[in-house]
Amino acid sequence: MAPFHLFFLLSCAAALIFPSFSRSLEPSFTSKPSRSLAAAPPSPKPGPIQTNGKNFSKVCDPARFKELNLVIDDFAYCDKSLPYEVRVKDLVGRMTLTEKVAQLGDKADGVQRIGLPKYYWWSEALHGIATTGFGTHFGDIVPGATSFPTPILTAASFNESLWKTVAQAISTEGRAMYNLGHSGLTFWSPNINVVRDPRWGRALETPGEDPFMIGVYAINFVRGLQDVEQTAAQQDLTSRPLKVSGCCKHFAAYDLEKWFFEDRHKFDARVTEQDMVETFMRPFEVCVKEGDVSSVMCSFNKINGIPACADTNLMTRTFRDEYKLNGYIVSDCDSLDVIYHVMNWLGDTQEDAIGLDLNCGWGQYNIYQHWGESAVAQGKVRETDIDRALTNLYMVLMRTGFFDNIPAYENLGLADICNKENIELATEAARQGIVLLKNNNTLPLDPKKIKLAALVGPHANATAPMIGNYNGIPCRYTSPLDAIGKDVKVDYQQGCDVLCMNETAFAPAIASAKNADVTIILAGLSLDVEAEERDRMDLLLPGDQTDFINQVAAASKGPVVLVILSGGAVDITFAEINPKIGAIIWAGYPGEEGGQAIADVIFGRYNPAGKLPLTWYKNDYVDALPMTSMQLRPVDEFGYPGRTYKFFNGTVLYPFGYGLSYTVFNYSAINTTTSSLTLEVNTAEFCKPLSYMTKFTAPPCPSLNIADYKCSEEINFEVEVTNTGNMDGYHTALVYSKPPPEVANGPMKQLVAFQRVFVPAKQSAKLNFTVNACKALALVEKTAYIVFPAGKHTIVVGDGPELVSFPVEVKLQI
Ligand SMILES: *[C@@H]1O[C@H](CO)[C@@H](O)[C@H](O)[C@H]1NC(C)=O
Ligand SMILES: *[C@@H]1O[C@H](CO)[C@@H](O)[C@H](O)[C@H]1NC(C)=O
Ligand SMILES: *[C@@H]1O[C@H](CO)[C@@H](O)[C@H](O)[C@H]1NC(C)=O
Ligand SMILES: *[C@@H]1O[C@H](CO)[C@@H](O)[C@H](O)[C@H]1NC(C)=O
Ligand SMILES: *[C@@H]1O[C@H](CO)[C@@H](O)[C@H](O)[C@H]1NC(C)=O
Ligand SMILES: *[C@@H]1O[C@H](CO)[C@@H](O)[C@H](O)[C@H]1NC(C)=O
Ligand SMILES: *[C@@H]1O[C@H](CO)[C@@H](O)[C@H](O)[C@H]1NC(C)=O
Ligand SMILES: *[C@@H]1O[C@H](CO)[C@@H](O)[C@H](O)[C@H]1NC(C)=O
Ligand SMILES: *[C@@H]1O[C@H](CO)[C@@H](O)[C@H](O)[C@H]1NC(C)=O
């Protein structure tokens, strides 16, 4: 049955049974950013848990139980001497079926009778505590939280410690807001979907297109959110404390919002197992196995006909059995499609229910809470399945200290939100991510030599656009106008807005450029063009922006600097080849302090070192293949080119990993002790065939299935990075592996490691890499086995003119 019919039936039935279903949905959240923090008013002592009008810092507070006329000692779930499993079992065991079912939605009702308060599961922390979700709210005592750059820019820093530090700052603010009764402890971040197609509207929320890099980002971000310093290495994962709980979303093969007749709610992603293993699931695997994330969220789309949220195989077999997820699985929110998915949960086969623990949705979408009880009564769902879901949920809440609090965080409060350090970190994150795309002897500018700067373009005075989506209320904004205006005298003329529908306001901007010593143009995209439920149809700047930039550049007296704000790639070939445009900077959506970071780069206080986490294709790329085609490899039958730097062999504007500096780096030859590896294969059964280029005779054992191998070999090498220029700078060395040339259908290269390093002018730094040979050299062959191919692999460091490489010969001995 089509989803529409299911929805229709459900709505009618629901209206009969639950009169309140006709109630309208709660309003969606919109942020009203304030320019500066209001002074905090003296407040009554707030607290996360309110009971009879009094505030408590934890569930298991004897005074709170007294307030409820209960005696805490009667409740084993509050006995701290017992293991969490025992406490959770006691808690769940006390509930009636009606009470259990009432806890299965993101707004869990609580059970006053047994001392369990309500809990709102939905909070978000993609790049700062967000307004999205019912768990978090701003206003009165908490006017704002630090708004870091959107992930695509922070990712561009390729700096693992930055990723973790930012998440630590976010979780500290989250915990402080929780203490003040303004946030939950469960955050549905990060978004780790692979940007498979450059048109996707949510690229800004992600770390980019490379599954390996996304995985490394996920580990650092999740650990930054979750890890309690002293217990980060704790072996018993089921009781490992959580600073806050993170969530890797949305599994899987999601990245289409709206494209012609397709939309994410009904999109059926036709995906090969090879692409699932190699690309779509890899960040999730790493996020669970190495990040120990405490939650994952399924996506709206179907995967090969099965809704992701009803895919038992994926949820139970992959996440629970194979990855060993230690946490809960939540549905995506607020969609007709969720109903349709969840209808499966209530449908003919109860197996469809296995996996999902929490239903995000409200009003008529709150299926679990409204229908769960009758589903059990009708024998469609076992009550033990509901117990299991509740156990997964309350284990996580126990670990966050919802019941007992975590002493180290009890005193966090207003002073820990929007403080100087966090605002500086937001600026630093943007500085580290900003990518220099072109510099024809133009940057950095010397402010002392500039009497007047023309500051023009849609984003010249950007505020809200700098914080993208899943945003909170920022502490404040430092717009480009604010920051650049502190360095030089500026003549600000916007010229046109992001949509740039016509040329009526161009003239003052052109006049300004004619007059000024230098012209700085801030242009690009915004949520008007790329957002959730909004894919792009092309990769060009919107409306007349290109004309605007060309006209301003043509009229400029002085050098022209173009700054692009965007999440996804933009085809700005026109600017790359325009000799009047001396420099181009990409600044993602740089967060609340973005203007400051941009000024620091333009005036040379910071030497840019970001690298593009996405391929910047030329616009004709999108005419060559539909957004609905999921394959990463080229599809010769339809003439579709490949996707991402791994499989697209055509000409691009800027490749993945591209980014310039104000100085010049060079590598000196690699030192390695690993030039060959000989693996003893115990039995030929572990060998797998591989596809080869024509005329190549396969060796007796073409490749080794790594599932059957210990994989302890390491490849160790050192590279010396020399800053041959005159300015101190940062450099990221990207390390790729290339499969043996005779192997067909493999990636052209794949990222296997990266390191960012500071190198003073005229000095060198040594980078020491150790990579696991299986992880670095393995390929996913066409039937989705992960294999270690025999032959001569290549390790390549760098992708610019400075690259160095060395071969690693792999022999498989039977
Ligand atoms: C409890 O905290 C809330 C804010 O979360 C506040 O509005 C309320 O006044 C506080 N109540 C008491 C009695 O302190
Ligand atoms: C810049 O933007 C801010 C916030 O939107 C606004 O208050 C201010 O007036 C703008 N400045 C100019 C010169 O337009
Ligand atoms: C030109 O664009 C501006 C906003 O960018 C809009 O307000 C105005 O109505 C447009 N004028 C015409 C003639 O379309
Ligand atoms: C770089 O600047 C030189 C000198 O102004 C100019 O001849 C050349 O065309 C410029 N190149 C680009 C790609 O803008
Ligand atoms: C690029 O890939 C396409 C599609 O597989 C192929 O037809 C073409 O020969 C390749 N071009 C080069 C230069 O390798
Ligand atoms: C960079 O290093 C290579 C060898 O690794 C060397 O041939 C080349 O001359 C160096 N270039 C500069 C500018 O130092
Ligand atoms: C490589 O090894 C040689 C000899 O051991 C040593 O002098 C040199 O510093 C090493 N270079 C790097 C980049 O480690
Ligand atoms: C990486 O980020 C951290 C945290 O901001 C910073 O201290 C460090 O200097 C950065 N490293 C490099 C090489 O940029
Ligand atoms: C590089 O790392 C390897 C393995 O961790 C270690 O044996 C070696 O001493 C390191 N070299 C340097 C120069 O730090």
Side-chain angles (χ1 to χ4, degrees), residues 666-669 724 804:
N666 197 7
Y667 295 138
S668 64
T724 61
V804 287

Side-chain angles (χ1 to χ4, degrees), residues 35 461 463 479 481 492:
R35 266 194 74 78
N461 185 28
T463 52
S479 76
L481 175 58
Y492 163 63

Side-chain angles (χ1 to χ4, degrees), residues 159 161-162 165 425 428 432 606 730 756-758:
N159 183 348
S161 73
L162 175 73
T165 307
L425 183 60
E428 173 66 10
Q432 288 196 29
Y606 193 87
Y730 304 85
R756 179 175 166 124
V757 65
F758 174 73

Side-chain angles (χ1 to χ4, degrees), residues 578-598:
N578 184 339
K580 292 272 319 215
I581 298 176
I584 307 174
I585 286 169
W586 174 73
Y589 295 115
E592 62 167 74
E593 306 301 323
Q596 187 59 54
I598 290 167

Side-chain angles (χ1 to χ4, degrees), residues 668-671 718-720 766:
S668 64
I670 300 185
N671 275 2
E718 287 174 3
V719 190
E720 195 162 56
K766 256 189 201 169

